[in-house]
Amino acid sequence: MYFPRKVLSCAVLGAIAASNGALAQESQPELEEIRVTGSLIRGVQATGSQSIGINEEAISELGALSTNELLASVPQVTNFFNQRPEQDPRGADRLQVNRPNLRNLPGVNDATGATTLVLVDGNRLVPVGTDQSSLDPDVVPAIVMQRVEIVTDGGSSLYGADAVGGVINFITLNEFDGVKVDVGYDTGDEYDAWQASILAGTSWDGGSGYIALATTDRDAVLKEDRDWAAQGNWDEDGRVLTPSGTECLEPVGAVTTWFNYGAGWTDNPLAPGAGVTPVGEACDEEGKSSLIPEQTRDNIYAGLTQQLGSNMTLSVKAYYMDRSTAYPSYPLGDTVSEPTPAEQGLEGNIGDLVQTSAVGFSYGAHPAYRDRDLEVDIETWGITPELTINFANSSWQSRNTFYYGESDNTVYQPLSNQVALGGYIASGALDPLNVAAADASVIQDILDWENADEVDQEMWFFRSIGDGELFELPAGAVRAALGVQYSEEEVEKRTGDVNRGRAGSLENRKADRDVMSVFGELSIPVFDSLDLSLSARYDDYSDFGDTTNPNIGFDWRPTDWLTVFGKWGESFNAPTTLDSVVVANGRYIANVADSVPDPNMERTNPSRSDVFLLEGGTGELDPQTAESWGLGFELRPLDGLEFNLYYYEIEFDDLLASFNPQESQAVLLNPDKFIYEPTAEEFDSFLASVDNTEQFADRSAENIGVIIDRRVSNTDSAELSGYDFGVIYTHDTSFGFMNYGLSGNYVAEFDVFKTGVASDSLANNPDLYVSADIGWTGENARAALNFRYTDGFDADQGVAVNQRKVDDFLTTNLFIGYDFAGSGMAEGLSLRFNVDNVFDEDPPEYRSQRNLNYANWTLGRVYKLGLSYNF
């Protein structure tokens, strides 16, 4: 296995080092044939950059069901590290891919483009998602993954858009001979998952080919399956959490009796027969919703290589993935409020009584109700042929790559038809206080409704890169790479609320884009001890203009045991093609206004307890831009001992993001996005700006405590700085080979600026992420302990209930592996056993105003059994 020279110890160090003794001792192929992430020139390292590598053995030994779970072992992938890297189920109808985020830059999971570029074999793939446009690295099954290379610096000078925080490159097999079968089973508290894959390949004179099939399947885990995932309302002391569900099988709300005393109607309890009568008790709706959803995934991956004469090689990679995810929830319900007698225009006689109700109820109480899950389906495929030409009597090589891919993405969210609901209540066909008494056809008509979101994405590109030697200097050859690329993307999107299965009747919005790019790189050996790298890229977008991004890096080796390296560059993140057709949608959420911070005490009427939330895009977005630099060293004072330290700074402008409405700083920085106790005119204005206006025909401003405008937009800027660090020590003993490692990321500064006002993002978030490893390798056996630590932090006093500090979080993970040797049936058989979160640690609690949040994420203790067989 080959790894970039500057390899930080990461959570999988034990497996990496154990595979063959030590990184430094691994045999390396001829440099002329190596292409690494962070350089376009064969045989040239990513000069000035810090690189992290995860090799094939480590990938297998982590026992990960997904590529994101693999990345959760790396501290620099801050949003995944020491967590289960799952998308928040509460946003599943809008965000279908949880994207890795090097440096934890803001806005990572908004609908627009990512700030960490994810590649497969150095190539972009067609994005997936209905309100996202993002590569899903799960298109690569683990059985064909050769290694992962991570460069934690801006890479737009080589790769174009999105490489702001860095680049993650999944490298797949080029060839394989034989047959390999791999199966695994995971089990934990109320959790089961399994995976199976088979890889078959062969070689022939001048070529080789392989094909892999893989499937994974896992159960859903509900919030009620984990004590720490409870939701509800805290008492003022933060001691008691009670359920807060209001759309329950037993109706919840109030019946108001109005008395007419001649001058009008009143609900004053002093009036004869008047007053408010509570109905029912809150239920645990959240307990029946997903902590992680049920998911199945099927993969096909194939590779072909063929020599075409003495100087040309054709290679082809192709993939297919079908992923289906289902999010269970509490039976669907609604909250309705009948108009007062005065609003009904009733005059009445003295002494008349009229009852109205404001009630939350679930349709699950009716025998005709059939529960439906929110369903997310992603089907994607692509093919990448590449023709490599080696020029005779020259060091130059030309790589000509073509790619074409498509993705078909759907989200179907069960809804109730609000127009039909209002009509049935007005006619008396549905009594919210007695749902079970309604005719079955009434329930079926109301529930024959869904939000359908269907998106087709298509992408193709052609790229040609030539690299080779230019001329000789005393310290070596100056090498260069020059390239051009042309790409096109197309998107079609249908979205809206319709009868089930009628998405085809929705308007089909379309957008397209083409990009022309020219780029180049120089590698200059200035002295024997100093290498310099220069690169730049020009991109011309058909929809928002052009951009040029330069980069400079150096490696300096003053002694054999010390390397100093540094880098400066500019990078950018463009709005995606999908952003052009993403529309704003409204969501009406009952009884959650108390969970929205109100630092200026603008709410005065606690009965206005609902929230109207705007999400999506405006279609008017500019690219984000960044300037970054870093400086580090690698110290090797003794054989087997290595220290790494790297300091980085990033200035990020024109951020494309939406804020977290549960943070008080979000209110202070975005006062125009929070409208407390809106007037009817304000509500009507926002209602007119969303695409699903008709679903709120029966809503009015009088119950709304706050309108929140979370539509993605360009905010101002962010400044981020921090340190990556690592220590590796390996040595032989009489009982085997030992390795120890510690690596981490410390965020020193993270300020987000809005209209010149700074917000400290570290005030209420962790700033330290550390992974430590102890590994042992015997003749046929391997074992490793891995510890992952996330630092505690101050609780946000704008939302926390009687809590000042959120505790730190430490998990311990165990791996044991055995490779059978000899001959017979056992030859080629390997067994592995993992225990994730050995001590079944719960994440630290974070008591917010409404629910028991969790600062980290875990499934608890999970046992993993795996078997791999080569024959």
Side-chain angles (χ1 to χ4, degrees), residues 692-849:
N692 56 341
T693 305
E694 70 281 354
Q695 281 298 297
F696 309 105
D698 64 335
R699 303 294 186 182
S700 64
E702 64 181 13
N703 294 321
I704 298 177
V706 58
I707 294 174
I708 305 174
D709 185 358
R710 283 195 75 235
R711 289 174 293 183
V712 175
S713 61
N714 288 93
T715 59
D716 280 5
S717 62
E719 294 181 359
L720 172 69
S721 65
Y723 300 87
D724 294 324
F725 54 89
V727 181
I728 301 172
Y729 180 54
T730 60
H731 66 96
D732 281 313
T733 70
S734 59
F735 53 85
F737 182 83
M738 297 295 299
N739 58 269
Y740 313 88
L742 182 144
S743 68
N745 170 247
Y746 172 72
V747 185
E749 178 187 26
F750 195 168
D751 291 329
V752 177
F753 296 86
K754 175 73 175 178
T755 60
V757 179
S759 169
D760 182 7
S761 292
L762 292 180
N764 309 119
N765 287 289
D767 59 6
L768 179 63
Y769 308 85
V770 179
S771 176
D773 301 86
I774 303 173
W776 167 80
T777 302
E779 184 174 354
N780 294 323
R782 306 178 307 283
L785 273 176
N786 165 242
F787 307 92
R788 300 178 190 174
Y789 172 83
T790 305
D791 199 18
F793 56 92
D794 293 332
D796 184 347
Q797 294 308 295
V799 299
V801 178
N802 196 26
Q803 183 179 17
R804 292 286 177 182
K805 182 78 174 179
V806 178
D807 293 337
D808 51 25
F809 186 47
L810 175 66
T811 58
T812 304
N813 308 290
L814 171 69
F815 162 76
I816 299 173
Y818 187 81
D819 299 325
F820 288 85
S823 58
M825 292 295 294
E827 185 177 9
L829 176 64
S830 297
L831 301 178
R832 61 180 183 270
F833 174 66
N834 297 72
V835 185
D836 290 350
N837 197 350
V838 172
F839 300 108
D840 199 18
E841 292 288 336
D842 287 345
E845 69 177 37
Y846 191 173
R847 299 191 297 271
S848 77
Q849 291 177 346

Side-chain angles (χ1 to χ4, degrees), residues 549-596:
N549 294 272
N551 192 289
I552 182 171
F554 75 90
D555 285 351
W556 179 45
R557 298 170 297 278
T559 68
D560 291 340
W561 46 268
L562 175 64
T563 301
V564 179
F565 54 95
K567 190 174 185 180
W568 170 89
E570 295 179 348
S571 47
F572 75 105
N573 167 238
T576 68
T577 310
L578 182 60
D579 286 325
S580 301
V581 295
V582 169
V583 296
N585 279 287
R587 300 174 64 203
Y588 195 95
I589 312 172
N591 299 304
V592 298
D594 284 344
S595 67
V596 180

Side-chain angles (χ1 to χ4, degrees), residues 359-439:
V359 178
F361 62 92
S362 169
Y363 297 99
H366 197 286
Y369 177 80
R370 297 294 179 267
D371 197 39
R372 291 184 288 148
D373 295 336
L374 188 157
E375 297 177 354
V376 177
D377 290 293
I378 294 174
E379 186 176 15
T380 183
W381 65 272
I383 184 168
T384 314
E386 182 174 90
L387 180 66
T388 302
I389 303 173
N390 293 297
F391 294 98
N393 302 317
S394 171
S395 65
W396 280 81
Q397 181 187 87
S398 173
R399 300 185 301 276
N400 305 279
T401 308
F402 178 82
Y403 169 82
Y404 179 82
E406 294 182 2
S407 69
D408 182 8
N409 314 272
T410 61
V411 177
Y412 299 114
Q413 181 181 18
L415 294 178
S416 59
N417 188 326
Q418 297 294 298
V419 175
L421 170 64
Y424 285 122
I425 290 179
S427 69
L430 176 64
D431 180 1
L433 294 171
N434 188 8
V435 175
D439 189 84

Side-chain angles (χ1 to χ4, degrees), residues 639-651:
D639 287 343
L641 179 63
E642 179 181 310
F643 296 92
N644 296 280
L645 183 65
Y646 186 72
Y647 174 79
Y648 59 90
E649 284 190 8
I650 302 174
E651 294 184 4

Side-chain angles (χ1 to χ4, degrees), residues 11 98 106 138 299 351 384 425 497 537 621 656 672 767 858 864:
N98 201 22
D138 280 338
N299 293 82
T384 314
I425 290 179
D497 299 336
R537 182 179 177 115
L621 303 175
L656 283 167
D672 58 320
D767 59 6
T858 176
K864 300 181 176 182

